[in-house]
Structures are given as C-alpha cells and as structure tokens.
C-alpha cells in the first residue's frame, strides 16, 4: 500500500481554505489554498461583449491564468504578450468550465473576466483555479445585484474541480507536486452540483489504465468535488443563494388578477414578478390589431427595458354573433379601459336580440420574449357561451357572463379550477411545450 508523504488517506483532500473578498478592488475575489497550492482568483466585470456577440443579448465569460515568478521555488519567467502553451491551455480550461456555470443570456451584454494568479504551486493549480474562480464569480454576481446592475443571478450550477491519479498502482485523490511528478496516471475532473462531468482530462503518463481504474478515479473525484463544493458554499455565506436561483420571469401587466394567474401557473418553474416589481412603470401602448401582436409588443418592451425574460398576454372574449367582438378591445369595449361593469352591460345590450346559445370563446395570446432569442407566441382558447345575466361573484372581466365547459361561469368556479382550464393556462402550456422543443 502506497503511503502518502503527508499521511492522508487515498480518498482525502489536502486541507482546503477559501478566503473570500481577498482583493478589495475586485468585483469578486478569493484566495484558495489546497495544501501548499495557493491561488488568487479575481472576477472583473465590464459592460459590453466581444464583437462576435454584440447585439445578441448575451454576455461572455473568459479567464486568464498565470504563475507568479516565485510560485515554483525556482523563478519562472513572467508571461509576456505571448503566454506559454501550458498557461493558454489552462486558462481555456478555466473559461470552458466556468461558462458551464452561467446562463450567459441572464448575464446581459457584459463580460466577466476571471484572473487566476498562482502564488505557490504544489500540484493541482488548474483545479484550484477553477474552484476559486467559481467563488469569485458568485461574489461578483452578488455585488452586481446589490448595486442594481443585474436583476437576477446568471449562476445556474455550482462548479468545482479536483485532481486524482495513480501512484505506485494506488488510485489517489488530490495529488501534491511530489505525487503528481511520479504519477503513472494523471487526471483532472471538473463537475457541477448536479453530479455531471464538465471535463475529464486523463492521461497515462507512465502506463495505460484500465476501465476499472478509471471508474475508481472518477469515484474519488466525485467525492472530492462534493467536499470542495461544501467549502465553496461555506466561503460564500449568504451569497450562495445566487447559485441555481430560479430564472426571473417578468409579467408585462399591471392587472393584479392576471399576475396572480401567471404566478399560480408558472411559479414552480420561474421566479415570477410584475414589471412594477422591477421598476418598469409604463403604460405600454397596444397598437396591434391582433392578440398576438399586442402580446408581443408588451413582452418585448419589458424585456428590452430589463434585459430579463418577459411574458405577456393579450386576451379577450370573441363572440360569434358579434363577428369576434369585443376581441382585442375587450378591456376597453365601453370606451374606458378596465371598467368591467360597463363592458358587461354593453355586451349584453349588443346581444339582446341574439338567442341562446350565444357561442364564443375566451382567447389568450401568450408571448415570451428573451434576450437574444426570437419571441415565442402561442394561443390558448376556452370555448363557451355568453349568458343573459351574470352568475357568480368571482373572476373578473366578462367571467360572470361566460359559461365554460364545466357548465358554470368563470365567476362561479374556484380560481384553481379556472386556472386548470383557462385560455391563459392553455396558451402558457403551449409556450412551455414550444420551449421544450427548441
């Protein structure tokens, strides 16, 4: 049995220490120590993106890596304009790995640069850099949100990395420099908090390795990354709440009833808020001639104002005997916006000579607008008929006059039952289905 020079077990990490906020002038930073390896990781944020991303409504994340001259004991020449090949390879790995932690659309058109400077190198500098960079990234996001420059966290997954290898025939976790320099097999494993592999770099340095040995190394890496993620969260403290937060979805409406329906239908999937909640207090002019056009106008306006996903509906009642009226003018049928009582009176007046069944349908066009992507628009309908008098005390709009498929009016059934069969639910479900098919 191989005995490690520091007395650790085969599956033990070196002592891990993460000091958050190590560089006060950086948007986010930490010092990460894994045994004798010490790396300063900083996250800097700049407005704007590289030319190849301009106008696409998404951000960018990149990384740079360097070893300070005295980091290895024997002076290493500083990187010049042209970095050495090893540094370039490592910084590309760091950038690839951390981009898997971020929804770049939520980041908006800004660039995060992660700088990793190795103070002391005792093996595992690239994996320590990835682990520390994630902490610096989350701290930078926390600062952006506190300053009001970002409305939601773009950090969708937690990411860490660890080394492992085979030394004298023994699979070991987290190799120090002495072990790494004589390893028969050397491996670096990057993972997310869903237990998925982002990158596996495995090399037979002294010999090839078997599938059985590979499985043992991956099992060690899984355990090591789980422990590193606990250390990351401990270092982040309250800022850890930004990891894996639900995507913000802004409902482009000032109608409290509609907002409640959207929250009840979409709340399990999104953090649903009103546009007023995020500071958008505008009366968006609905100049479209169709439900679909008006829904898109509202959703796209709010998305452009906030940089976040926005959803809107335009809905109304279409009565066959009135050639589809009130239609897109449902909310202002009487000439005043939102006067439900007057709208209902006018509808009954216009239908006074029409016998039952006075068929029609509620229609809802749902538009979902997202940065850098086409607006998704789907329609939902609920068939029924207009009664001769109001029934029920619930609902809003034309609900007391509209008998739906249950045989009752929307104003007579519970909000839960209405949300189960409503035109708005069916439109939203059609949008969700379209998202899954993208």
């Amino acid at each position: 049995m191989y005995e490690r020079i520091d007395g650790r077990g085969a599956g033990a990490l070196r002592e891990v220490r993460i000091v958050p906020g190590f560089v006060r002038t950086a948007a986010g930073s930490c010092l990460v120590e894994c045994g004798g390896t010490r790396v300063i990781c900083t996250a800097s944020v700049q407005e704007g993106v590289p030319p190849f991303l301009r106008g696409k409504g998404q951000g960018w994340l990149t990384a740079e890596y360097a070893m300070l001259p005295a980091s290895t004991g024997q002076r290493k020449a500083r990187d010049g304009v042209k970095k050495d090949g090893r540094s370039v390879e490592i910084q590309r790995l760091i950038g690839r790995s951390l981009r898997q932690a971020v929804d770049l659309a939520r980041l908006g058109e800004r660039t995060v640069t992660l700088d990793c400077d190795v103070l002391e190198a005792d093996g595992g500098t690239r994996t320590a850099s990835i682990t520390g960079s994630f902490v610096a990234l989350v701290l930078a996001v926390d600062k952006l949100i506190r300053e009001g420059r970002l409305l939601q966290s773009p950090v969708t997954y937690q990411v860490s990395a660890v080394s492992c290898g085979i030394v004298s025939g023994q699979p070991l976790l987290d190799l120090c420099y002495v072990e790494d320099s004589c390893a028969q097999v050397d491996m670096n494993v990057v993972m997310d908090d869903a237990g998925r592999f982002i990158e596996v770099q495995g090399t037979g340095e002294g010999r090839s390795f078997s599938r059985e040995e590979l499985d043992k190394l991956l099992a060690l890496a899984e355990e090591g990354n789980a422990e590193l993620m606990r250390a990351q969260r401990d270092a982040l403290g309250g800022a850890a709440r930004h990891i894996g937060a639900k995507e913000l979805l802004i409902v482009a409406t000032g109608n409290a009833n509609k907002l409640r329906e959207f929250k009840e239908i979409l709340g399990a999937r999104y953090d649903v808020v009103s546009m007023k909640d995020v500071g958008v207090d505008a009366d968006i002019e609905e100049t479209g001639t169709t439900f679909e056009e008006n829904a898109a106008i509202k959703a796209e306006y709010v998305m452009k104002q906030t940089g976040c996903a926005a959803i809107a509906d335009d809905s109304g009642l279409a009565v066959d005997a009135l050639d589809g009226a009130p239609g897109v003018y449902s909310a202002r049928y009487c000439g005043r916006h939102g006067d439900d009582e007057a709208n209902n009176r006018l509808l009954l007046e216009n239908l006074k000579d029409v016998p039952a069944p006075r068929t029609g349908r509620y229609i809802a066009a749902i538009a979902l607008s997202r940065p850098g992507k086409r607006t998704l628009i789907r329609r939902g309908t609920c068939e029924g008929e207009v009664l001769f008098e109001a029934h029920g005390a619930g609902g809003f709009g034309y609900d007391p006059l509209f008998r739906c498929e249950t045989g009752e009016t929307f104003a007579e059934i519970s909000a839960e039952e209405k949300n189960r069969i409503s035109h708005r639910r069916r439109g939203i479900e059609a949008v969700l289905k379209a998202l899954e098919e993208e």
Side-chain angles (χ1 to χ4, degrees), residues 114-129:
L114 301 168
D115 285 288
C116 304
D117 292 288
V118 180
L119 298 177
E120 296 179 34
D122 185 25
T125 60
R126 71 185 68 195
T127 54
S129 295

Side-chain angles (χ1 to χ4, degrees), residues 314-329:
D314 194 46
S315 57
L317 180 65
V319 181
D320 294 326
L322 299 178
D323 297 324
V328 295
Y329 304 105

Side-chain angles (χ1 to χ4, degrees), residues 118-162:
V118 180
L119 298 177
E120 296 179 34
D122 185 25
T125 60
R126 71 185 68 195
T127 54
S129 295
I130 292 169
T131 299
S133 288
F134 178 81
V135 172
L137 169 65
V138 175
L139 291 173
V141 166
D142 180 64
K143 182 178 181 182
L144 288 172
I145 291 174
R146 285 188 286 105
E147 292 176 346
R149 295 167 61 191
L150 198 61
L151 289 175
Q152 62 179 328
S153 171
V155 183
T156 51
Y157 293 102
Q158 187 173 355
V159 170
S160 68
V162 73

Side-chain angles (χ1 to χ4, degrees), residues 12 26 38 50 138 193 197 342 387:
R38 304 172 72 228
V138 175
D193 56 348
F197 297 101
L387 300 180

